[in-house]
Amino acid sequence: MKTLQDWLLHLETAHSGGLIDMGLERTSEVKKRMKLEPKCPVVVVAGTNGKGSVCAYLTQIYKQAGFKVGTLTSPHLLRYNERIAVNAEPVSDDLITASFERIEAARGDISLTYFEFNALAAVDIFICEQVDVMILEVGLGGRLDAVNVFDCDCAVVTSVDLDHQAFLGDTVEQVGFEKAGVFRSGKPAICGQNPAPESLVAHAEDIGAKLLMVQRDFDFSSLESIQWNYRFHPQHSDDPARNRNSLPFPALRGAYQLSNAACALTVLECLNDKLPVDIGAIKRGLLLVENPGRFQVLPGRPLTVLDVGHNPHAARALRRSLINLAFAQKRTAVFSMLSDKDIDGVLEIVKDQFDEWYIAPLDVPRGMTTDALQAKLEAQNIENIQTFTSVREAYRAALAKAGENDRIVVFGSFHTVADVMAAL
C-alpha cells in the first residue's frame, strides 16, 4: 500500500500536462465512472481573495447548527490533509489514500492532475462520510477548475481582481467571466463585489442564475467595531427579506472580513429551506471560526501578523488592516514571494507600512532568489533591507530584534507563512 506521502510525490509528476492543466473533460469522465453524485446541498466558492474565509465561516456556522460539513480548500499550509476536512477537522491519511486508490482504479488511461485528484477525492470522501453539506473552494478561476464538474446549489464569487493572468486573462472582465463559470441556471449566485465585472453580470443573466450582489441584495454595517448588522433584501427573488442585528465581530481579523461573513450569511439565507440555521449557531460560528494565515494575529508581544496575501488586491486589504492596528514603534516585514506574482504591484501598495524588510528565498521551484527580491525592493526605493538564507531564519532574526511595542508582519505567499508556522 502506498502511503499518503508516496501518493503526493507521485501526483506531483504523474500528469504529463504539469501541475496545472485547465479543462473539465478528464475530471468529468472519472466522476461519471465513480458515480460521484452528491445527494446533499453543494456550495461552490470562487474569488480572487476571501474564498478561504467564506468557506471557514460556512463550515463553522453549519457545524454549530448541528450539520455534518465537508469542506475542500486549497492550498494547505502544513499538511495536505487540511484540504479535505469534515466538521473543520482534516481527515485521516487512510481515508485519503483509500479514495486515491478508488480514483486510480476508475481513471484507467485518463491522466489527472494533482488538483483533479484532490477535488475528486474530497467529494468521494464526503459522500462516504455522508455529510449534510459540501463546501467546495475553487482552486483556480472557476469555469475550467476541477471543482466545476460538480453542480452547486449555491455559488459565491467573493471578489474579482488580477491574479494567475497566464491562465485567467489580463483584464478584470476576463477574470470575471472565468469565475462566473461556477454559476448555475436557476440557482443563487452571490457576488461580494459591487460594481461587479460586466462579464460576470452578463453571464449570470445569460444562463438564468439568480444574481445576488452586495450593496444591492444584501449588505452589512458595523457598530463601533463591537457588533455588526446584516441585511438580506433580494431585489429579484421570492426569498423573504431578513435582518440579523447585533452580530458579534468575527474571530477572523482584517478590515475585509465583514464582507466575507456577509457573503457566507447570504448562502445561509439561500439554503435556509434545506439547511435551517438559528441565530445562536451564526453567533457561535462567527466567534469560533478559524482560517490560519489570513491576517492572523499571534498571541503575545511583539504583535505578529501572518498573512498569505500574494496579489495587489490582497495587498490593499492588508494595508487597510495594518492601518487599523494600534501604533507600532518599529514595523518589520518578513517577506518573500513567488516569481510569477505581481511583486511590483504588491510592494507599491504596502511599502509605506514598514520601516525595515527581512527577505529570504522560498525553497520551491517558483520562489524568487534573494538577489531578485532585493532588486525589486530597491527599484521601489525601499531601504533597510536585510537578507537571510531562509524565511524561518529571517523571522527568528526579526523576533530577536523586536521590542514589546514593535510589529512583525509575515507575508507574500502561502509558502512564506507556512515556513514561519512550521517554525512555531
Side-chain angles (χ1 to χ4, degrees):
M1 279 287 283
K2 277 189 192 158
T3 65
L4 180 55
Q5 211 44 48
D6 295 337
W7 267 109
L8 297 177
L9 283 169
H10 167 66
L11 293 183
E12 279 177 9
T13 53
H15 181 63
S16 56
L19 275 177
I20 299 174
D21 186 6
M22 311 292 280
L24 302 181
E25 299 79 13
R26 299 180 299 273
T27 319
S28 293
E29 180 54 34
V30 179
K31 169 199 171 213
K32 200 163 79 185
R33 292 179 188 180
M34 293 178 73
K35 300 185 172 61
L36 294 183
E37 294 300 336
K39 300 281 186 280
C40 65
V42 174
V43 181
V44 169
V45 184
T48 306
N49 294 302
K51 51 187 185 285
S53 297
V54 171
C55 292
Y57 287 121
L58 289 170
T59 300
Q60 195 56 252
I61 292 170
Y62 278 134
K63 178 185 169 185
Q64 293 302 319
F67 295 111
K68 191 172 186 180
V69 191
T71 315
L72 164 69
T73 54
S74 70
H76 60 275
L77 281 165
L78 299 177
R79 286 171 66 224
Y80 176 86
N81 310 51
E82 296 164 26
R83 293 170 179 245
I84 304 175
V86 172
N87 280 348
E89 295 295 329
V91 300
S92 68
D93 286 13
D94 291 350
L95 276 182
I96 298 171
T97 52
S99 180
F100 282 172
E101 302 280 356
R102 289 193 287 276
I103 296 167
E104 186 72 2
R107 74 176 181 85
D109 58 359
I110 296 173
S111 178
L112 295 172
T113 67
Y114 182 96
F115 191 78
E116 288 165 343
F117 254 88
N118 194 11
L120 289 166
V123 173
D124 178 43
I125 289 167
F126 299 155
I127 290 171
C128 293
E129 292 291 298
Q130 298 182 313
V131 300
D132 300 310
V133 56
M134 294 186 197
I135 296 156
L136 309 179
E137 180 189 342
V138 165
L140 179 60
R143 183 174 66 92
L144 297 176
D145 186 84
V147 161
N148 205 29
V149 302
F150 299 102
D151 288 324
C152 64
D153 298 85
C154 182
V156 182
V157 173
T158 54
S159 61
V160 181
D161 211 308
L162 296 180
D163 197 9
H164 304 291
Q165 281 95 313
F167 299 99
L168 304 179
D170 298 326
T171 69
V172 168
E173 289 297 333
Q174 284 173 307
V175 177
F177 175 72
E178 291 298 326
K179 295 195 185 305
V182 299
F183 295 166
R184 290 296 187 271
S185 172
K187 303 289 187 200
I190 297 161
C191 181
Q193 185 165 313
N194 190 349
E198 288 170 19
S199 58
L200 178 144
V201 177
H203 183 68
E205 280 174 11
D206 287 348
I207 65 167
K210 296 187 200 165
L211 187 62
L212 297 162
M213 256 163 64
V214 70
Q215 293 162 9
R216 186 190 76 182
D217 303 284
F218 66 98
D219 54 45
F220 58 93
S221 54
S222 75
L223 311 164
E224 295 166 0
S225 297
I226 309 165
Q227 293 180 320
W228 64 291
N229 296 335
Y230 165 82
R231 284 178 53 225
F232 181 65
H233 44 91
Q235 291 207 333
H236 312 291
S237 149
D238 317 326
D239 295 315
R242 189 202 301 260
N243 291 351
R244 304 257 190 209
N245 294 330
S246 307
L247 296 169
F249 252 60
L252 300 185
R253 302 275 293 264
Y256 45 87
Q257 283 299 351
L258 288 188
S259 176
N260 291 333
C263 285
L265 264 55
T266 307
V267 173
L268 303 183
E269 294 299 337
C270 293
L271 298 181
N272 194 51
D273 54 337
K274 293 177 182 156
L275 300 165
V277 174
D278 63 86
I279 189 72
I282 291 174
K283 289 182 173 179
R284 289 193 301 277
L286 289 169
L287 291 170
L288 293 170
V289 66
E290 288 181 354
N291 195 16
R294 276 61 166 203
F295 203 76
Q296 180 183 357
V297 178
L298 299 181
R301 292 197 160 281
L303 186 86
T304 301
V305 177
L306 307 180
D307 194 271
V308 296
H310 53 258
N311 53 43
H313 185 265
R316 285 192 289 275
L318 173 62
R319 185 174 185 277
R320 277 204 308 278
S321 299
L322 290 174
I323 288 168
N324 288 340
L325 291 176
F327 172 78
Q329 265 174 334
K330 186 179 71 197
R331 305 164 302 169
T332 303
V334 174
F335 176 75
S336 193
M337 251 176 120
L338 297 177
S339 56
D340 55 358
K341 298 294 176 188
D342 180 5
I343 184 167
D344 301 306
V346 168
L347 291 174
E348 201 170 309
I349 291 161
V350 296
K351 63 184 178 185
D352 67 336
Q353 293 302 305
F354 299 103
D355 307 306
E356 53 183 33
W357 293 73
Y358 285 27
I359 62 171
L362 293 170
D363 189 18
V364 291
R366 292 181 295 147
M368 290 182 78
T369 63
T370 310
D371 290 348
L373 281 165
Q374 187 159 0
K376 288 287 189 188
L377 269 71
E378 286 170 352
Q380 292 283 343
N381 299 318
I382 292 171
E383 297 168 353
N384 295 340
I385 304 166
Q386 292 196 43
T387 61
F388 298 87
T389 53
S390 71
V391 169
R392 216 175 277 205
E393 194 192 316
Y395 172 68
R396 289 205 181 106
L399 207 53
K401 262 190 75 178
E404 282 236 323
N405 300 317
D406 296 341
R407 178 196 303 154
I408 299 169
V409 181
V410 179
F411 77 106
S413 168
F414 271 88
H415 300 283
T416 314
V417 170
D419 282 1
V420 169
M421 285 179 105
L424 296 170

